[in-house]
Amino acid sequence: MGLIVQKFGGTSVGSVDKIQNAANRVIEEKNRGNDVVVVVSAMGKTTDQLVGMAKEITSSPSKREMDMLLTTGEQVTISLLSMALISKGHPAVSMTGWQAGVETEEIHGNARILNIDSDKIEKEIQQGKIVIVAGFQGATSEGEITTLGRGGSDTTAVALAAALKADKCDIYTDVTGVFTTDPRYIKNARKLLSVSYDEMLELANLGAGVLHPRAVEFAKNYGVSLEVRSSMEKEQGTTIEEEVKMEQNLVVRGVAFEDEITRVSVIGLPSSLGGLSTIFSALANDQINVDIIIQSMTEGETSSLSFSIKNEDLTETVKVLERNRDQLLYDRIEWESGLAKVSIVGSGMISNPGVAAEMFDVLAQNEILVKMVSTSEIKVSAVVEQVKMLPAVEVLHDAFQLLPIQ
């Protein structure tokens, strides 16, 4: 007998019928002789609806109260799934994040898990029960309810799998696995049988929505065996593991993309040693994530700095920079929205020079202008105009031979 953690996303529990289907998948695993812990998200668009209601009341709701509001979504799902299992003759018990012992840091809206006290879950398992845990949520040591940020249910599932020393963690979703790119937009995308932790971490950070980046981090750090699979189709999914066999000797394994990007430029900065740390410390203190960073020296003793952010962070970013203008002594701020980021990812890039050159050549041949670039050992990212995003993904997907196997 083993222990399996299963996670069902919002689309997989979006209706009572889908909850019944999820219950059947849980029972199938239980009938194989395994103990099962299930992590669920809020049903369908519930979280979006709750956010919408909050915005009808105020344009700037308290982050604490938003956590109180949003955590109710998962509570609906855990109770309904538990009822479905009990009605089918399988003892089950539902738990909120804090009942399940998920302790987080004291940050509302985007907290990280610090510890999981799994004693209560283990006692219920020993009594033969299926334990249903609300994803995306936890509590501080002082009992304040927190949320883990969008996609946080993935993180809950993998963290629980690590804490419980589970044999496997299955992530059930509305796709059949991890694809070479998003199959909703690129028809020729194909499913990969396996992906390394590092490749999946890059893909998740670069816009692939199938797994939350923190979940992949947890899986890599604690050696949790992951499989992304369909909640509706009974077929093999994609395994995420430390080492994977090169599939058809593919150097590039996937193309990720992310829209709603803005490039911010700080012009005329004094060429002092402390300027960069001041800017990025101030932005970090306001929880603003900065992505690609480019510094260029200009004539005289000044420099310019450009970095990319999400569109939604532009207003706050400008406020932070203006608040620190007396300290930074820059001339002006400029920004350009309507941008997107397109990235190629593959561990084979480490030993294959020339991949970046081929990427830029393909983009140039298709008249796609590159505005910013970022690289690591296993990825190359390019910021392009948003209207060129999907054309860029398509030509790169074809150029690196990621088409379905004939």
Side-chain angles (χ1 to χ4, degrees):
M1 178 180 286
L3 172 60
I4 307 297
V5 174
Q6 297 179 316
K7 182 262 176 177
F8 292 89
T11 54
S12 300
V13 291
S15 66
V16 170
D17 284 345
K18 288 185 175 182
I19 287 174
Q20 293 282 14
N21 176 71
N24 291 334
R25 299 303 293 265
V26 175
I27 291 168
E28 286 170 11
E29 196 62 69
K30 185 71 174 174
N31 287 342
R32 292 189 187 102
N34 293 313
D35 289 324
V36 186
V37 173
V38 186
V39 175
V40 292
S41 301
M43 294 173 65
K45 299 292 184 181
T46 299
T47 302
D48 290 336
Q49 291 166 357
L50 293 171
V51 170
M53 285 191 284
K55 287 185 176 178
E56 286 181 29
I57 292 173
T58 173
S59 59
S60 54
S62 156
K63 289 186 177 181
R64 179 189 184 277
E65 299 309 324
M66 283 300 293
D67 279 358
M68 292 292 286
L69 174 67
L70 297 183
T71 50
T72 63
E74 282 73 22
Q75 290 185 57
V76 172
T77 317
I78 59 172
S79 54
L80 291 175
L81 181 54
S82 186
M83 290 175 195
L85 289 165
I86 293 168
S87 71
K88 294 174 186 290
H90 291 267
V93 60
S94 62
M95 293 185 188
T96 62
W98 46 96
Q99 288 175 319
V102 179
E103 182 185 341
T104 75
E105 60 189 2
E106 297 180 12
I107 293 176
H108 288 291
N110 198 29
R112 290 180 177 269
I113 295 174
L114 298 177
N115 182 50
I116 294 181
D117 182 351
S118 59
D119 286 353
K120 191 171 182 180
I121 294 176
E122 289 172 358
K123 285 177 184 175
E124 298 290 358
I125 292 172
Q126 289 166 9
Q127 294 174 22
K129 294 179 184 176
I130 299 167
V131 182
I132 317 297
V133 179
F136 173 68
Q137 59 184 246
T140 68
S141 58
E142 300 298 317
E144 282 291 308
I145 293 172
T146 56
T147 60
L148 309 180
R150 279 301 178 96
S153 292
D154 288 345
T155 308
T156 303
V158 178
L160 278 173
L164 294 165
K165 296 181 171 57
D167 296 278
K168 190 183 180 189
C169 180
D170 287 334
I171 307 291
Y172 286 91
T173 182
D174 56 348
V175 294
T176 57
V178 178
F179 283 69
T180 50
T181 192
D182 194 326
R184 294 172 300 176
Y185 298 96
I186 306 299
K187 292 180 181 178
N188 286 329
R190 68 178 171 92
K191 185 173 71 179
L192 296 165
L193 296 180
S194 61
V195 178
S196 72
Y197 289 129
D198 288 336
E199 287 172 329
M200 191 66 243
L201 189 56
E202 289 284 15
L203 288 168
N205 275 314
L206 294 168
V210 70
L211 263 178
H212 195 262
R214 285 191 206 165
V216 185
E217 262 184 70
F218 254 109
K220 178 177 171 63
N221 291 340
Y222 293 94
V224 175
S225 175
L226 279 180
E227 184 176 346
V228 177
R229 56 196 307 187
S230 168
S231 59
M232 304 302 291
E233 307 293 331
K234 294 185 180 179
E235 64 177 80
Q236 182 182 354
T238 301
T239 303
I240 292 95
E241 53 197 352
E242 189 63 49
E243 297 290 338
V244 298
K245 293 179 181 178
M246 291 297 289
E247 198 171 328
Q248 285 192 324
N249 296 316
L250 290 180
V251 175
V252 173
R253 307 264 292 165
V255 183
F257 54 95
E258 186 178 9
D259 61 5
E260 304 292 321
I261 301 291
T262 293
R263 176 176 63 179
V264 177
S265 297
V266 186
I267 312 295
L269 281 164
S271 299
S272 60
L273 293 175
L276 292 181
S277 63
T278 301
I279 289 176
F280 294 118
S281 295
L283 293 171
N285 289 338
D286 270 53
Q287 305 296 312
I288 295 170
N289 287 321
V290 173
D291 188 15
I292 300 173
I293 301 169
I294 297 173
Q295 185 183 28
S296 57
M297 303 303 294
T298 54
E299 291 183 11
E301 296 184 355
T302 63
S303 64
S304 294
L305 178 72
S306 295
F307 54 88
S308 64
I309 56 171
K310 293 294 288 180
N311 285 358
E312 62 193 34
D313 291 328
L314 176 59
T315 301
E316 190 61 32
T317 297
V318 172
K319 285 181 182 177
V320 169
L321 293 173
E322 289 179 342
R323 205 162 51 230
N324 290 274
R325 185 165 190 167
D326 289 346
Q327 188 176 0
L328 296 171
L329 302 174
Y330 59 82
D331 289 338
R332 65 187 186 279
I333 305 169
E334 296 177 354
W335 59 85
E336 180 185 5
S337 296
L339 303 177
K341 182 171 63 175
V342 178
S343 309
I344 55 172
V345 176
S347 54
M349 292 165 61
I350 297 173
S351 55
N352 285 273
V355 176
E358 184 177 352
M359 175 184 182
F360 299 135
D361 185 45
V362 169
L363 293 176
Q365 287 178 22
N366 288 273
E367 298 182 347
I368 298 171
L369 179 65
V370 174
K371 293 175 176 282
M372 302 179 83
V373 174
S374 174
T375 66
S376 75
E377 284 187 324
I378 64 169
K379 65 98 175 174
V380 181
S381 295
V383 173
V384 301
E385 294 177 65
Q386 189 160 306
V387 294
K388 297 284 190 177
M389 179 182 75
L390 290 179
V393 173
E394 196 151 16
V395 296
L396 290 171
H397 193 265
D398 290 352
F400 288 104
Q401 302 173 23
L402 298 176
L403 300 176
I405 300 170
Q406 301 298 320

